Structures are given as C-alpha cells and as structure tokens.
Amino acid sequence: MRYDSITDAIGDTPLVRIDPDVHGLRNIDLYAKLEMLNPFGSLKDRAAWNMAREGLAAAQERGETVVELSSGNTAKALALIAGLHGLPFKSVTNRMRIPEIKDLLLLLGAEIEELPGRSECLDPTDTDDPLTLFHQRLNRPGSAHFHTDQYFNALNTEAHASGTGPEIIADLDGRAPDWFIACVGTAGSSTGVARALRAHDPLVSVVGLVGEKTDFIPGIRNADEVQEVGLFDPATYDTIESVSADEAIDGMVTLLRRCGLLAGPTGGAAYYGAVRHLRPLDERLTDRRSAVFIVCDRVESYLGYVRQRRPELLGRPPVKNSVATLTDTEARTATVVDVAEAQKWIAEERPLVIDLRGPFAYAALHIDGSVNIVDELFDELLRGGLPFGKRQPVLLACPVGERSARYAALLTRMGHPDVRSLAGGIVAWRDAGAPLVRD
Ligand SMILES: Cc1ncc(COP(=O)(O)O)c(C=O)c1O
C-alpha cells in the first residue's frame, strides 16, 4: 500500500464481526466498523479532511489559522492536517476534560483557547454562551481564521454519506445492515451513515446513543445536550437511547478483553447500547439479520478517565465516595434551595459556597465569597472523606444545578448534616438578577 500523502489513507476501515459467544445474540450478526484505524486515530479524520481539503490553499495564501470548536478527535485530526500544510491550528473549547488529549494537541503545536461555557458541546441556540459568541465572531467576514465549523458544516455529514456508509454496504456484500448504532457528538457521522444506508434500504433502523443526563462520556453529547442544533436532526434516529459512563466502560472492557479491539469509551458505549437494544428483538427473530456499530477511537487517551471512574480495572482500590457510585434514588435525596432561599441562607448562616464549574467560567462570573473547586477535583477530594467539618454548612453551585445536586446527595450520604444545592445553578442565580462578581 503506497500513498503520496497520509490523508490518502483516510477511510476504507475494516468491518469486523463480533464473536456471537461474546455478545450472545443468536440471530443477529453484529459488526464493528473500526474507525479508530484511520491514520490520525478516529472517525473524525474523515470529517476533518473533508471540511479542510478545499480551503487549505486559500488559507495558506491568506496566512490564516485553522480553527475549530473541539476538545478531542476533530482537533487532533485538524492539528495534524494543518501542520501537514504548514498552517497553525487553534482549538477553541469550553473545558478540556481529557488531559492526555490536551497534552497531545500541545505536542502537535496547537494553540488551545478554553472559554467559559455551560456544556461540553456547543449549543448555538444559547446566545449567552461565550463559546457561542466566539463561534459567531469566527464566522464574521474578515476574520483571519479558516473555520472548519464541524457543528454546521454539511461536509462533516457528507464525509460519512459518501465514505463510511457506502463502505459498510460494500462490506456486507451490497446489503445495508438491519440496524445501525452510533454515538452522537456533532451528529455528522450518524446522520451521514444513516443517509447512505437508507438510500440503499429505507427500512434500516438507526439507533443514536448519548450519555446519561449529567454523565460524561468523552466526545459525545449527554441526554441534556441533545437538541435540534447544528447537524442534529431527531428525524435521523428511530430511537435515541442513553448509556451511562459505567456502561460505556463495561462495553469498552468487553471489546478490549474479549474482542481484540483497542476501543475507547464511545466504542464501548456503542457496543453496550447495540447489544442492549438488540437483545429483546433477537429473541423474537426467526431469520438472520445484521447490525453495525461504530468504534470511533482508541483507548489509550482515556486511561486517566478510567482510573478516575473505575480504578479497580487498573488494579487500584475501588472508589467509595464518588458521585459515580450514587444510585438514581440516592441522587434525588439532595436538599435543594432556590435562589431566594440561598440568598437568605448565605446572609444568615454564611455557608461555605463551593462553585463546581471550571476556572474560566468561575473567573467570568461567580457568587461573591464563593470558592472554586472544579467538580473533578472535588470528586478527588471527597475520596479521602469529608474535606470540611460537619458543623460547616455548605452550599454547592454548578452551571444548572444538576451536578451540584448529585454532590450534595453524596455529601449527605457521607454524613454531612447540612449541605444544600443551588437549584438551577449559576444560570438561575443570574436569571434571578442576584449579584455576581468577576475576578
Ligand atoms: C470519541 C468520539 N466518539 C464519537 C463521536 C461522535 O461523532 P459525531 O461528531 O460524528 O457525532 C465523537 C465526536 O466528536 C467522538 O469524539
């Protein structure tokens, strides 16, 4: 296999059958589309190259910087493509939560700009989100940026409608699978593949997978973030189902330990979601069917993520005090106060106010006198036991009040008698016109 450019090696990834003894489906052949075998390491190589290809020469002439709103695989692919063409690359993002990817981007020469935002994924309908404002600024004429615009660029979807989808059909001897299962980030890959498969066979059933509410699976949206924005169109999916971070890791471990696939968490989520969706259908089948799920990227960048959530998988003692160990029922036991009650409580009893958002969001606007402990760090702190005395009342705040409620429930379980969560978070506080200060 000889190529003039590494970008020629993008695509044509293998479709590999999963051993039925592992997944247990009797009438369905389940295949993994191994997108992690693209040259820059993920499914996003296709979208990045398709979005950048035509504009690179003009960007070189005008001395522009390639820029994208991404904290993961798209940024990685674009950093490599930009470098290959002698262009700088800048990644703009809310918060880089996977340190290995951040370090890799820096090693690739990327500039990283982290902005205070409310969610991991861009929400272009939220006009107050600093990331949205930045997105609008980038698209103004005269900006010295070549913005590939993955959340809106039809070339993202098209990369999969013309590449990934037709490859699946060709590898299934000219037939579309009966089910296609994929995780949803920008929605480019699931939308593009679904379009190609349905053009071939309108009866293909498409399952979109997202992370569970308030849960974090790197690279994809959670149930709160799925909305009609950018490339996402609910009509693409026959059903949208949630996978928890724990289930994604369980699926990933099966792919790693039983299937010889070095899959990352979203590959695990796709496998887990596929088997869970197909199992009850399989039992009723009398003829053979097929299903395909996508393995987006590889596991190595996520060892820290696994260490934090499931240390026992790496031979370390299991975590007792972590929000990941809360049941849904426990999570609902938190004491929640609205903005007016919180203001009164702060004035009368001076609770310790802990703001769990990222440092950029905190610096931009916060409750006067609050301390900033970003939620991952707070999680680490709690592993060692209560980090403050039981007589110290505590008010927890996060962007919209969901994470803080989980932490409040956890602290209660750990024996803290007076911890409360700010309902609606800093967004509700701001919307109520309560005072906020900036650094
Ligand atoms: C690890 C990972 N898996 C899956 C996806 C989903 O891809 P898409 O953006 O095409 O929906 C992404 C997207 O960023 C990702 O980074």
Side-chain angles (χ1 to χ4, degrees):
M1 241 179 284
R2 193 167 119 182
Y3 299 107
D4 286 331
S5 166
I6 186 67
T7 53
D8 294 341
I10 295 173
D12 285 327
T13 54
L15 190 69
V16 173
R17 194 168 82 109
I18 303 291
D19 183 347
D21 284 346
V22 175
H23 58 64
L25 303 170
R26 283 177 298 129
N27 299 303
I28 301 173
D29 293 313
L30 181 62
Y31 294 91
K33 177 73 170 157
L34 300 188
E35 286 300 295
M36 90 274 214
L37 293 179
N38 277 302
F40 308 137
S42 86
L43 164 99
K44 294 303 209 160
D45 295 14
R46 298 180 189 256
W49 181 231
N50 210 37
M51 294 187 296
R53 192 170 39 198
E54 294 295 319
L56 287 167
Q60 280 167 331
E61 256 169 51
R62 293 199 283 260
E64 289 174 344
T65 297
V66 181
V67 61
E68 183 53 271
L69 296 154
S70 162
S71 52
N73 286 314
T74 311
K76 193 164 112 188
L78 283 171
L80 284 152
I81 291 168
L84 193 60
H85 294 83
L87 290 167
F89 172 70
K90 177 166 161 175
S91 164
V92 182
T93 161
N94 276 329
R95 187 164 125 203
M96 287 250 172
R97 291 177 70 172
I98 301 294
E100 294 95 331
I101 295 184
K102 183 173 181 175
D103 282 347
L104 179 58
L105 285 175
L106 293 170
L107 184 63
L108 298 178
E111 186 193 337
I112 298 175
E113 185 166 339
E114 284 175 280
L115 296 170
R118 292 185 198 168
S119 63
E120 296 307 314
C121 284
L122 172 75
D123 176 359
T125 58
D126 180 354
T127 47
D128 281 343
D129 190 330
L131 199 51
T132 306
L133 298 177
F134 191 81
H135 182 259
Q136 289 162 355
R137 205 167 81 218
L138 283 179
N139 285 340
R140 271 184 215 140
S143 115
H145 292 115
F146 171 26
H147 180 205
T148 40
D149 207 4
Q150 63 164 341
Y151 282 91
F152 290 95
N153 194 336
L155 293 171
N156 174 357
T157 310
E158 202 262 337
H160 302 284
S162 65
T164 326
E167 286 170 26
I168 292 171
I169 295 168
D171 286 336
L172 292 178
D173 302 323
R175 298 218 327 269
D178 298 285
W179 292 273
F180 170 63
I181 303 103
C183 291
V184 182
T186 64
S189 52
S190 41
T191 308
V193 172
R195 187 182 302 159
L197 300 183
R198 286 195 179 123
H200 200 79
D201 176 356
L203 296 180
V204 176
S205 180
V206 178
V207 181
L209 297 171
V210 293
E212 233 158 51
K213 247 171 168 279
T214 75
D215 225 345
F216 171 56
I217 302 177
I220 59 171
R221 291 168 191 250
N222 67 31
D224 282 339
E225 293 163 342
V226 170
Q227 43 214 321
E228 293 177 59
V229 294
L231 301 172
F232 177 77
D233 175 359
T236 300
Y237 309 93
D238 292 278
T239 167
I240 298 229
E241 295 175 9
S242 296
V243 178
S244 71
D246 252 345
E247 291 166 343
I249 294 174
D250 286 341
M252 182 179 86
V253 169
T254 302
L255 295 179
L256 294 170
R257 295 187 180 176
R258 298 290 319 279
C259 305
L261 300 179
L262 271 175
T266 59
Y271 171 72
Y272 189 97
V275 176
R276 187 183 59 190
H277 181 84
L278 296 172
R279 193 172 291 130
L281 306 170
D282 178 61
E283 282 161 14
R284 296 197 291 271
L285 286 175
T286 49
D287 55 344
R288 281 218 81 67
R289 303 285 176 92
S290 64
V292 171
F293 69 96
I294 289 201
V295 178
C296 174
D297 67 357
R298 289 170 62 119
V299 65
E300 288 90 332
S301 303
Y302 304 103
L303 293 177
Y305 175 78
V306 175
R307 191 180 312 118
Q308 204 195 16
R309 278 156 198 272
R310 298 280 291 277
E312 71 281 8
L313 290 171
L314 306 180
R316 293 172 169 82
V319 187
K320 273 204 319 252
N321 302 323
S322 164
V323 276
T325 63
L326 282 179
T327 64
D328 286 345
T329 317
E330 273 179 316
R332 283 193 288 271
T333 60
T335 307
V336 171
V337 286
D338 66 21
V339 175
E341 287 167 320
Q343 280 183 294
K344 189 161 171 280
W345 195 42
I346 291 172
E348 286 170 3
E349 299 205 29
R350 308 222 150 271
L352 175 63
V353 182
I354 300 178
D355 188 325
L356 298 166
R357 296 172 302 153
F360 291 94
Y362 177 81
L365 280 177
H366 58 262
I367 298 172
D368 198 14
S370 61
V371 293
N372 183 212
I373 309 179
V374 64
D375 56 5
E376 279 120 27
L377 189 60
F378 197 55
D379 210 66
E380 295 271 328
L381 270 177
L382 298 188
R383 284 166 198 215
L386 283 176
F388 26 70
K390 287 190 180 172
R391 264 184 286 164
Q392 170 65 63
V394 176
L395 175 66
L396 298 174
C398 70
V400 292
E402 282 175 355
R403 280 190 203 159
S404 57
R406 291 183 74 83
Y407 280 103
L410 177 62
L411 282 165
T412 306
R413 187 176 83 183
M414 289 167 71
H416 195 292
D418 197 6
V419 56
R420 307 177 193 184
S421 163
L422 177 62
I426 300 296
V427 170
W429 182 280
R430 186 205 58 189
D431 291 349
L436 287 164
V437 294
R438 73 176 66 234
D439 267 357

